[in-house]
Amino acid sequence: MLPYTARGAVWLIVYLLFILAPLFALLGGSLPPARDFWTEFSVAIGYSGLAMMGLQFGLTARFRHVTEPWGEDVIYHFHRQISSIAVGLVIAHPLILFIVRPELLALLNSLQAPWRARFAALSTYSLIALVVMALWRQKLRIQYETWHLTHILLAVVAVAAGILHMVGWGFYLIDPWKRALWIGLTFFWIGLLLYVRIVKPLFLLRRPYRVAEVRKERGDTWTLVMQPDGHAGFRFSPGQFGWLTLWGSPFKITGHPFSFSSSANASDGRVEMSIRELGDFTSKIHQVPVGQRVYLDGPYGAFTSGNPTDMHVLIAGGVGVTPMMSLIRTFADRGDKRPVILLYGSRDWESITFREELEALKARLDLTIVHVLSNPPVDWTGEQGFITAELLRRHLPPPFGEHEYFICGPNVMMDAIERTLSDMNVPLAKYHSERYSFV
Ligand SMILES: Cc1cc2nc3c(=O)[nH]c(=O)nc-3n(C[C@H](O)[C@H](O)[C@H](O)COP(=O)(O)OP(=O)(O)OC[C@H]3O[C@@H](n4cnc5c(N)ncnc54)[C@H](O)[C@@H]3O)c2cc1C
């Protein structure tokens, strides 16, 4: 198996090939009469934008081999960034045309415009709606599930209408092989969508799990213990996560991501997820009856233990402790003798999730726990406030660059700690971050 960096590079080349090859192919074979530079340029960026949009279905298809070298959050970050570029290109395409050939503005009148222009307008308006909803979902108070469904529908409409516009115009598609290439590409994009929405759910349907226990934890958190039903389950690395479908079938549009909190060494395929009450889905976890059939898609993520020569430094804020719990439980089960330090920020003493078990785990491995409370009791003598640069320097032995760091918690905490580690000259390859907000 190739190392992660080499695999990452291979996938990047494949990605660029899918974007650029169809564009360059248009320049081969028979060519239509040449037009002015800006018209040709606008057409080129329109084609590129469309190819990039189509490939977004692949980026979000959760292909484990593709996402493994980077981790899911980086892929979603890339998805967002590349979407902005693609939408920019698609919108720039008509804008340039309107500037260099103002007579084309008449095509904006969708009542009289030919179908190929109507499709162009539909594609562009869908893209604008998609971007507005993605950027301002929380401000617009759109429920996550509603947004997700609309996001998929708008993306399908935007790409389908874009293709119909392109084929309707057909300016560069004179040769049958060029038409075949673009039609093939379109089928490939549709195939990606069918894979995510039909093939994968069918696979999950045949590999259900049963809830074996629902355990109350400190800090408004519930642990779901899930047992594979009629199959061996999957193996995961500590720190990874899965997509959980609780109510309904795996064909449901929206699954919810949760880190595995159990040891990766469990031999019977059992997995645990520890879930904090936050919104409509997470607040109903305590109602899940034992024996309920659930579906797990996983494992995903690159937030997995490294192989440091000296120690693991785990920095958790609130529910960000769940992947750390999996790491610590796994280290204990594997008899790992390397020191582990857990810097753990919580609201108050009573809401420290896994407090007692963490204390007990000290007997099984070289574990130091530093609790940092933002709302400490009056007689508290430990750390208080937030995990800061000074706090890190106080508790970590030098050389800081030798340790392997894992950070998971609220975004503000993670940003601050990443900046601090960079100031402490910890190389980027030595720290791993898991963000609980893809969107
Ligand atoms: C990789 C990863 C691992 C996670 N691990 C844990 C964990 O171990 N324990 C835990 O308690 N929480 C974890 N979360 C967060 C958890 O997924 C969300 O809190 C949960 O999905 C919120 O659902 P809700 O409907 O109850 O809340 P809502 O109020 O509907 O949503 C709150 C916010 O959570 C995000 N969100 C909601 N639904 C989804 C979804 N289906 N997919 C992605 N994001 C969503 C949105 O940003 C939303 O604004 C993890 C998130 C990620 C990305």
Side-chain angles (χ1 to χ4, degrees):
M1 180 78 77
L2 284 170
Y4 274 177
T5 35
R7 280 166 63 192
V10 169
W11 283 117
L12 214 58
I13 292 168
V14 171
Y15 181 81
L16 287 174
L17 212 76
F18 265 97
I19 301 291
L20 297 176
L23 187 66
F24 284 116
L26 294 178
L27 302 176
S30 337
L31 288 176
R35 294 168 296 183
D36 64 283
F37 169 78
W38 286 109
T39 301
E40 298 297 350
F41 179 69
S42 90
V43 172
I45 61 176
Y47 271 112
S48 319
L50 188 59
M52 285 159 91
M53 290 300 302
L55 212 50
Q56 297 295 329
F57 294 121
L59 279 183
T60 51
R62 298 187 207 158
F63 289 117
R64 204 164 304 132
H65 295 296
V66 181
T67 60
E68 228 171 21
W70 294 281
E72 231 49 35
D73 50 346
V74 173
I75 294 287
Y76 276 91
H77 184 72
F78 184 65
H79 167 65
R80 281 195 299 272
Q81 302 301 320
I82 211 79
S83 295
S84 319
I85 297 174
V87 171
L89 293 178
V90 170
I91 293 177
H93 162 62
L95 287 183
I96 293 174
L97 283 178
F98 292 150
I99 293 169
V100 294
R101 297 167 62 190
E103 71 276 12
L104 293 180
L105 278 167
L107 294 174
L108 284 179
N109 179 356
S110 288
L111 290 178
Q112 285 170 359
W115 275 105
R116 56 178 189 252
R118 290 180 190 171
F119 283 128
L122 178 63
S123 178
T124 313
Y125 300 148
S126 308
L127 279 181
I128 292 171
L130 192 140
V131 169
V132 168
M133 286 180 75
L135 290 179
W136 291 290
R137 175 181 62 87
Q138 279 168 335
K139 282 216 172 85
L140 295 169
R141 295 178 184 279
I142 304 172
Q143 203 198 9
Y144 183 89
E145 285 79 359
T146 314
W147 167 80
H148 191 200
L149 178 64
T150 320
H151 189 74
I152 295 169
L153 291 177
L154 285 173
V156 170
V157 170
V159 172
I163 291 165
L164 289 170
H165 162 68
M166 183 192 76
V167 174
W169 204 267
F171 196 73
Y172 272 98
L173 302 177
I174 312 161
D175 292 334
W177 67 269
K178 286 190 200 172
R179 274 201 299 278
L181 180 87
W182 274 87
I183 290 170
L185 202 61
T186 307
F187 275 108
F188 172 67
W189 296 335
I190 295 170
L192 287 174
L193 198 65
L194 293 181
Y195 168 77
V196 179
R197 296 292 152 203
I198 296 178
V199 178
K200 206 160 195 191
L202 274 175
F203 176 79
L204 294 177
L205 201 62
R206 289 177 42 234
R207 299 168 70 84
Y209 282 71
R210 293 256 175 220
V211 173
E213 189 188 344
V214 184
R215 203 166 54 231
K216 171 108 184 78
E217 309 282 2
R218 289 181 178 277
D220 304 324
T221 301
W222 297 85
T223 292
L224 273 185
V225 183
M226 292 161 285
Q227 181 84 49
D229 184 5
H231 58 98
F234 52 71
R235 297 208 67 82
F236 65 92
S237 299
Q240 286 191 297
F241 72 96
W243 295 85
L244 173 68
T245 305
L246 252 190
W247 318 98
S249 81
F251 291 98
K252 231 174 149 182
I253 293 285
T254 306
H256 287 256
F258 296 104
S259 303
F260 302 116
S261 54
S262 47
S263 165
N265 264 34
S267 54
D268 57 356
R270 268 186 181 225
V271 286
E272 296 182 9
M273 287 172 161
S274 301
I275 300 172
R276 182 156 296 182
E277 292 176 4
L278 180 74
D280 49 347
F281 178 85
T282 47
S283 301
K284 291 198 194 100
I285 298 297
H286 66 280
Q287 296 171 5
V288 178
V290 168
Q292 164 138 337
R293 182 176 274 223
V294 299
Y295 298 94
L296 278 180
D297 182 14
Y300 292 102
F303 188 72
T304 53
S305 65
N307 198 14
T309 41
D310 64 349
M311 67 189 298
H312 282 103
V313 179
L314 314 181
I315 306 171
V319 77
V321 75
T322 56
M324 312 303 180
M325 203 56 196
S326 178
L327 285 160
I328 294 171
R329 285 169 166 158
T330 309
F331 293 149
D333 285 350
R334 291 181 183 166
D336 198 317
K337 295 282 175 260
R338 286 170 295 186
V340 180
I341 179 163
L342 171 68
L343 301 160
Y344 182 8
S346 304
R347 196 178 59 239
D348 52 49
W349 183 244
E350 291 311 316
S351 63
I352 300 177
T353 313
F354 306 125
R355 194 179 82 195
E356 287 80 2
E357 188 183 343
L358 280 167
E359 225 29 60
L361 278 160
K362 282 180 175 174
R364 296 179 56 204
L365 73 167
D366 182 355
L367 173 65
T368 308
I369 303 170
V370 179
H371 287 294
V372 184
L373 302 182
S374 56
N375 187 17
V378 276
D379 55 347
W380 178 250
T381 53
E383 294 288 357
Q384 47 182 290
F386 299 98
I387 303 173
T388 57
E390 297 75 55
L391 190 140
L392 282 184
R393 288 181 198 277
R394 233 184 350 263
H395 290 280
L396 298 183
F400 305 124
E402 292 294 306
H403 320 321
E404 194 93 15
Y405 296 81
F406 291 82
I407 316 155
C408 185
N411 278 339
V412 273
M413 178 201 109
M414 298 191 56
D415 292 343
I417 289 172
E418 284 172 1
R419 270 196 307 273
T420 302
L421 292 180
S422 160
D423 292 346
M424 288 161 75
N425 295 323
V426 175
L428 203 57
K430 283 285 191 180
Y431 55 93
H432 314 265
S433 303
E434 185 73 295
R435 290 184 185 256
Y436 278 2
S437 49
F438 285 157
V439 279

